[in-house]
């Protein structure tokens, strides 16, 4: 049984692969002054760009950095053209932009930026930085080129593997007539609340951007096991009797089983951080005081990713209209979370929700139900 939080695990991760490549480039490739490689991922639905992973000897200057692509014209240009860009003196380049300023403050003086494209669409950027101004000369670029191709390939492959899992699950869901509550809008909102909470905990809980991104990608799969619950129970408008509720609760173990099958049959076990996915699916109905199901885990026995997801999931369920209930207002739902903080929910997760009501509203208006009905 996998119950440890995956937050600190770095076995078989994208950052591991990139760090290895980076070391090789610095030693064998004669690129010693290449001090940082980093990947940012792009979410086309929200136009947001987020730092994902980096391999640098020092603290990344852009940890937990989020920006709207349209607010960063230099990167938007690269995305539009599809061509890499060299900046040989960052100190002189667009000093007004926050990300440039932070990179310069981090001691970097030149950069080489490569857009990552998947099926003609932007999926992120690959950044190379050096502490030397003018480092990315034509000779260095010539040397760097094959490595940049490999790094872009590794990053794109990993992003694609996550998408394959998501596509597989969404196909199964469509085939099995999953009930209304698992609309696209619910999944969009709950996964963004999940990410918001994880970002809010990032400093206090030392969460890497990589962990946060995987958690965001995996959160929509929390109820994959509902495909195995019969429609008569799944779609019942009234309250479930105790027998029906027992069947409903079974969606958690079914979900874990489905993830195990996917892991074995499709080689998804090689996806970095697949443990996060398994923990989200297996423990999103556990409660802080041990009153949850199926295991009745208590407090920190519950993996962090499941504590985060459950707050996000419950908040969205409360504030959504369902066949058997009206939507609660945000105030009512946040009141409930406060009352249940330290009872059902991990208090730091509730605190992030309470402190980000503006962001919650923005997510709700962007992913309103009607868009997906
Ligand atoms: Fe569930
Ligand atoms: Fe849900």
């Amino acid at each position: 049984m996998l119950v440890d939080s995956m937050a600190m695990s770095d076995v078989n991760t994208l950052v591991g692969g990139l760090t290895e490549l980076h070391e090789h480039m610095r030693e064998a490739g004669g690129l010693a002054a290449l001090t940082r490689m980093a990947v940012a991922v792009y979410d086309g639905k929200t136009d947001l760009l987020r730092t994902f992973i980096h391999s640098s000897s020092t603290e990344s200057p852009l940890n937990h950095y989020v920006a709207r692509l349209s607010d960063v014209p230099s990167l938007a240009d690269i995305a539009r053209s599809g061509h890499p860009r060299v900046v040989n003196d960052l100190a002189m380049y667009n000093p007004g932009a926050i990300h440039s300023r932070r990179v310069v403050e981090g001691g970097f003086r030149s950069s080489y930026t490569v857009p990552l494209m998947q099926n003609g669409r932007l999926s992120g950027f690959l950044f190379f930085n050096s502490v030397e101004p003018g480092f990315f000369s034509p000779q260095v670029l010539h040397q760097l080129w094959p490595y940049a191709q490999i790094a872009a390939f590794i990053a794109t492959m990993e992003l694609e593997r996550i998408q394959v899992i998501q596509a597989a699950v969404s196909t199964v869901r469509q085939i099995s007539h999953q009930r209304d509550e698992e609309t696209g809008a619910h999944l969009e909102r709950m996964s963004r609340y999940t990410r918001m909470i994880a970002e809010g905990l990032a400093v206090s809980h030392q969460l890497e951007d990589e962990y946060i991104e995987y958690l965001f990608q995996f959160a929509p799969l929390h109820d994959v096991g509902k495909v195995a619950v019969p429609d008569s129970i799944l779609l019942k408008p009234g309250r479930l009797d105790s027998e029906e509720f027992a069947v409903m609760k079974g969606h958690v173990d079914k979900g874990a089983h489905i993830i195990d099958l996917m892991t074995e049959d499709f080689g998804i076990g090689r996806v970095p951080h697949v443990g996060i996915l398994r923990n989200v699916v297996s423990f999103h109905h556990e409660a802080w005081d041990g009153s949850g199901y199926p295991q009745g885990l208590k407090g920190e026995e519950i993996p962090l990713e499941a504590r985060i997801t459950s707050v996000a999931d419950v908040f969205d369920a409360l504030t959504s209209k369902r066949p058997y209930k009206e939507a609660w207002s945000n105030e009512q739902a946040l009141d409930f979370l406060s009352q249940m903080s330290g009872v059902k929910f991990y208090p730091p997760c509730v605190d992030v929700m309470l402190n980000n009501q503006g962001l919650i509203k923005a997510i709700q208006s962007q992913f309103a139900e009607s868009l997906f009905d």
Side-chain angles (χ1 to χ4, degrees):
M1 180 62 54
L2 189 53
V3 291
D4 287 343
S5 166
M6 292 290 128
M8 304 310 286
S9 160
D10 64 352
V11 181
N12 191 25
T13 60
L14 176 52
V15 73
L18 229 51
T19 304
E20 214 169 286
L21 182 69
H22 189 183
E23 272 161 24
H24 182 79
M25 291 161 76
R26 296 186 63 170
E27 285 161 21
L31 296 165
L34 183 72
T35 27
R36 175 176 179 260
M37 278 170 63
V39 176
V41 287
Y42 177 65
D43 178 0
K45 287 181 188 139
T46 53
D47 190 41
L48 289 177
L49 186 67
R50 286 183 150 83
T51 43
F52 181 31
I53 55 154
H54 70 95
S55 73
S56 25
S57 28
T58 54
E59 172 84 350
S60 168
L62 287 178
N63 261 346
H64 316 310
Y65 172 71
V66 184
R68 210 168 284 284
L69 183 63
S70 48
D71 292 340
V72 190
S74 54
L75 292 178
D77 279 353
I78 297 175
R80 247 190 314 274
S81 72
H83 296 306
R85 177 201 64 185
V86 173
V87 177
N88 265 327
D89 193 351
L90 281 169
M92 302 298 292
Y93 187 80
N94 197 9
I98 301 170
H99 75 284
S100 311
R101 202 168 61 228
R102 279 166 67 177
V103 168
V104 170
E105 283 165 5
F108 300 104
R109 287 295 173 268
S110 52
S111 75
Y112 178 55
T113 307
V114 181
L116 298 175
M117 310 296 284
Q118 275 174 284
N119 305 321
R121 289 214 315 264
L122 181 75
S123 59
F125 292 96
L126 182 60
F127 301 101
F128 298 91
N129 291 113
S130 172
V131 291
E132 287 179 9
F135 174 69
F136 295 97
S137 64
Q139 297 93 303
V140 164
L141 286 178
H142 185 72
Q143 247 175 320
L144 188 64
W145 177 245
Y147 293 110
Q149 294 296 303
I150 294 169
F153 180 72
I154 295 175
T156 309
M157 279 292 288
E158 299 298 352
L159 297 173
E160 267 175 8
R161 282 207 277 196
I162 302 174
Q163 284 158 10
V164 166
I165 305 177
Q166 289 176 330
V169 170
S170 112
T171 306
V172 174
R173 184 178 292 125
Q174 280 164 27
I175 293 169
S176 65
H177 310 290
Q178 188 136 3
R179 81 166 166 200
D180 286 343
E181 74 170 47
E182 296 303 311
T183 57
H186 165 66
L187 300 177
E188 295 283 2
R189 288 187 304 259
M190 75 73 67
S191 60
R192 282 172 176 80
Y193 299 144
T194 297
R195 182 161 64 187
M196 186 186 86
I197 296 171
E199 282 169 349
L201 301 182
V203 174
S204 57
H205 290 64
Q206 295 175 304
L207 306 181
E208 298 283 349
D209 285 329
E210 184 183 23
Y211 170 81
I212 296 171
E213 181 64 26
Y214 278 108
L215 179 53
F216 165 64
Q217 298 286 349
F218 289 144
L221 310 186
H222 62 281
D223 271 339
V224 58
K226 281 192 178 167
V227 300
V229 177
D231 279 0
S232 57
I233 294 175
L234 210 51
L235 303 172
K236 187 174 171 179
R239 275 189 97 75
L240 300 178
D241 66 29
S242 61
E243 217 168 285
E244 292 165 332
F245 192 50
V247 175
M248 181 61 124
K249 283 177 169 176
H251 82 274
V252 171
D253 284 336
K254 297 270 196 233
H257 185 59
I258 289 169
I259 299 301
D260 285 345
L261 287 178
M262 288 171 75
T263 306
E264 285 158 24
D265 294 354
F266 301 110
I268 283 164
R270 289 196 302 276
V271 170
H273 290 316
V274 76
I276 296 174
L277 171 59
R278 200 176 191 289
N279 282 345
V280 164
V281 171
S282 304
F283 306 112
H284 70 280
H285 287 287
E286 298 292 346
W288 186 245
D289 63 359
S291 64
Y293 67 88
Q295 309 251 342
L297 298 183
K298 213 175 173 159
E300 292 184 2
E301 289 170 356
I302 307 165
L304 180 64
E305 43 272 22
R307 285 179 247 159
I308 295 172
T309 318
S310 78
V311 171
D313 192 31
V314 169
F315 179 80
D316 196 65
L318 292 175
T319 50
S320 303
K321 189 171 162 13
R322 294 281 159 89
Y324 49 88
K325 74 164 195 53
E326 285 306 312
W328 292 19
S329 69
N330 285 359
E331 291 67 32
Q332 289 170 313
L334 289 170
D335 236 33
F336 176 79
L337 292 188
S338 302
Q339 283 165 30
M340 290 295 142
S341 180
V343 184
K344 299 281 185 203
F345 304 121
Y346 181 45
C349 294
V350 175
D351 293 344
V352 177
M353 293 296 282
L354 295 173
N355 293 332
N356 287 282
Q357 298 186 32
L359 211 50
I360 291 174
K361 282 211 182 79
I363 292 169
Q364 287 169 327
S365 57
Q366 178 156 22
F367 298 102
E369 212 61 47
S370 56
L371 284 176
F372 294 85
D373 284 346

